[in-house]
Amino acid sequence: MNFLAVIGDVLWLLALSIMGGASRMAWGKVKDVLVPVLWSPSGRTVWRAPRAVALASLPTFAFLLSLWLLVESRRPLELNVGIILLCVRAILAAIFAVVHLSQVRRALNQLAAEGQIKL
């Protein structure tokens, strides 16, 4: 087995566990309110979704993307292509984790400011 692929798998597992932990923490705080999901550049809320959609959509998409990258990393590759794929996997895992954390934080802060939840 390619050790670069295993390193990429570990990075994705870490990112997905961070995203899952953030969603689980927010799940307990948000009950029967629509959660902000998308904001305009001016900061106005553009779209709100039910809690399941808001907290699970990005981690689910990231999981599906990680599965595709896992399959692609298992193909026979030259060393330089394997290194490039590892870098792509590492960067994408970090980006998804940071975006999800910031989205959850912003949504919880907005709901707390609106008085819909208590932090």
Side-chain angles (χ1 to χ4, degrees):
M1 183 180 285
N2 186 355
F3 70 95
L4 294 176
V6 173
I7 293 170
D9 294 344
V10 169
L11 293 174
W12 269 102
L13 283 172
L14 288 172
L16 290 170
S17 65
I18 289 169
M19 293 166 58
S23 291
R24 185 174 183 274
M25 181 272 310
W27 189 273
K29 295 187 182 300
V30 177
K31 298 294 182 202
D32 295 329
V33 297
L34 291 176
V35 180
V37 177
L38 188 62
W39 295 269
S40 69
S42 64
R44 188 178 58 84
T45 303
V46 176
W47 185 52
R48 290 178 183 249
R51 143 175 105 162
V53 174
L55 298 176
S57 59
L58 192 60
T60 302
F61 177 74
F63 174 70
L64 295 174
L65 178 63
S66 74
L67 288 180
W68 178 69
L69 290 170
L70 180 139
V71 169
E72 290 299 317
S73 68
R74 295 302 190 267
R75 293 186 359 202
L77 302 169
E78 295 178 16
L79 180 60
N80 58 353
V81 176
I83 292 171
I84 291 170
L85 188 57
L86 172 63
C87 293
V88 167
R89 292 178 79 192
I91 290 169
L92 285 176
I95 288 172
F96 274 100
V98 168
V99 165
H100 185 66
L101 287 175
S102 63
Q103 180 184 15
V104 168
R105 179 185 51 85
R106 186 172 182 179
L108 289 177
N109 286 340
Q110 181 176 341
L111 289 173
E114 293 171 351
Q116 296 186 23
I117 64 169
K118 277 190 164 185
L119 291 180

